[in-house]
């Protein structure tokens, strides 16, 4: 069987030391690459393009798209001013993510968003974010865990009949590395998982080509042989077929 070619939307890494401080590098964390390989796919890095008009051509021919995590999203992109707790942003990266989502949707390429990737999906279709759940939500769990990246640190509850439920069941234990989350869910999407404190952990599109986002980092767990999270990548590959 021919292997699927899955594009991974990349980030820009600004080097702050070494021989060339300040240089920009295109990168994705290798956990994404290894997880997709374990799921039987061929991963392809999609570097940030300065010309957004070229993004459609960049993703044409791919079987699927994974949106990786990264820095905070520029709140101007969802109509808000930055709060004190808003973290570092790179608008060119954010606009690239939105262009990848638009191009993937136009070409009916299945999309799987992880952490920032899920948040970008929500913004691309008109949703908004909490810029900082610790200050904007009355009570919330620790969502930037103080534990190894592959350890699950809190539970999520999953909606019956969802794609996620078909893979993970009614509940799952996940890791957590974020301080922002979905506030208003985009039109055409439904929330399919939440943490016990109410933080949105997954969204799925109601109709059209497959689009799903999760707030945790399954690639970090799958890379370390978490079979349940590897099944999530395998199930996404199934959607891409």
């Amino acid at each position: 069987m021919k292997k699927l070619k899955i594009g991974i939307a990349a980030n820009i890494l600004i080097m702050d030391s070494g021989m060339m401080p300040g240089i920009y590098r295109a990168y994705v964390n290798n956990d994404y690459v290894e997880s997709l390989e374990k799921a039987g796919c061929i991963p392809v890095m999609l570097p940030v393009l300065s010309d957004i008009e070229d993004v459609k051509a960049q993703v044409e021919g791919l079987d699927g798209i994974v949106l990786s995590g990264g820095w905070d999203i520029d709140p101007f992109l969802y109509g808000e001013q930055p709060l004190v707790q808003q973290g570092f942003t790179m608008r060119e990266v954010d606009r690239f993510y939105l262009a990848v989502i638009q191009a993937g949707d136009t070409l009916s390429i299945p999309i799987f968003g992880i952490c920032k990737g899920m948040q970008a999906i929500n913004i691309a279709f008109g949703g908004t974010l909490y810029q900082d759940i610790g200050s904007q939500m009355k009570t919330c769990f620790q969502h930037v865990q103080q534990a190894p990246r592959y350890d699950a640190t809190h539970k999520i509850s999953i909606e019956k009949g969802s794609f996620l439920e078909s893979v993970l069941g009614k509940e799952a234990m996940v890791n957590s590395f974020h301080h922002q989350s979905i506030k208003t869910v985009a039109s055409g999407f439904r929330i399919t998982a939440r943490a016990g404190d109410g933080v949105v952990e997954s969204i799925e599109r109601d109709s059209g080509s497959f689009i799903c986002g999760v707030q945790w980092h399954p690639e970090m767990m799958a890379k370390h042989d978490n079979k349940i999270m590897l099944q999530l990548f395998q199930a996404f590959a199934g959607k891409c077929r």
Side-chain angles (χ1 to χ4, degrees):
M1 183 181 294
K2 183 180 177 181
K3 289 188 175 182
L4 300 169
K5 189 176 291 186
I6 308 296
I8 308 173
N11 279 278
I12 293 175
L13 178 65
I14 304 173
M15 301 303 294
D16 59 4
S17 61
M19 292 180 64
M20 293 176 282
I23 195 170
Y24 283 17
R25 290 183 176 174
Y27 89 102
V28 297
N29 288 333
N30 211 52
D31 290 356
Y32 294 99
V33 175
E34 293 183 56
S35 296
L36 286 168
E37 281 191 299
K38 286 184 176 185
C41 303
I42 299 173
V44 179
M45 186 171 74
L46 304 175
V48 176
L49 299 184
S50 56
D51 190 343
I52 296 301
E53 297 300 318
D54 290 337
V55 171
K56 185 178 178 182
Q58 184 187 32
V59 304
E60 279 181 326
L62 293 175
D63 298 301
I65 295 169
V66 169
L67 303 166
S68 63
W71 289 309
D72 287 357
I73 296 179
D74 184 348
F76 279 97
L77 295 175
Y78 51 95
E80 293 188 8
Q81 300 283 339
L83 301 179
V84 172
Q85 297 86 358
Q86 168 73 31
F88 182 78
T89 64
M90 285 192 77
R91 191 171 296 180
E92 58 263 50
V93 175
D94 300 340
R95 292 194 182 280
F96 170 71
Y97 268 51
L98 298 183
V100 169
I101 294 164
Q102 181 180 21
D105 184 36
T106 299
L107 296 169
S108 298
I109 300 172
I111 298 172
F112 182 39
I114 294 174
C115 198
K116 174 182 179 172
M118 179 183 79
Q119 296 167 7
I121 289 168
N122 193 54
I123 292 167
F125 291 94
T128 63
L129 302 181
Y130 288 110
Q131 292 185 39
D132 180 68
I133 55 177
S135 59
Q136 291 183 281
M137 296 183 69
K138 290 183 179 179
T139 58
C140 69
F141 299 154
Q142 182 187 72
H143 285 276
V144 181
Q145 71 186 49
Q146 303 301 306
R149 71 187 191 283
Y150 47 81
D151 280 351
T153 58
H154 74 78
K155 185 169 65 175
I156 61 171
S157 298
I158 303 170
E159 289 296 310
K160 185 177 180 180
S162 64
F163 162 74
L164 203 62
E165 193 247 357
S166 71
V167 182
L168 304 183
K170 295 179 180 179
E171 294 181 339
M173 291 294 296
V174 300
N175 59 2
S176 195
F177 293 96
H178 65 101
H179 80 109
Q180 299 191 322
S181 71
I182 288 175
K183 181 167 60 176
T184 304
V185 68
S187 176
F189 285 76
R190 63 186 176 115
I191 296 168
T192 54
R194 289 184 185 269
D197 56 3
V199 167
V200 175
E201 292 284 343
S202 178
I203 59 171
E204 298 175 24
R205 184 149 78 163
D206 292 324
S207 61
S209 58
F210 178 80
I211 303 181
C212 174
V214 299
Q215 186 59 71
W216 71 95
H217 282 273
E219 82 286 355
M220 295 179 180
M221 302 173 75
K223 182 259 190 295
H224 285 272
D225 298 322
N226 184 302
K227 291 181 174 55
I228 294 175
M229 294 304 161
L230 178 57
Q231 287 172 7
L232 187 54
F233 285 95
Q234 292 168 335
F236 172 61
K239 292 291 185 180
C240 295
R241 291 198 186 281

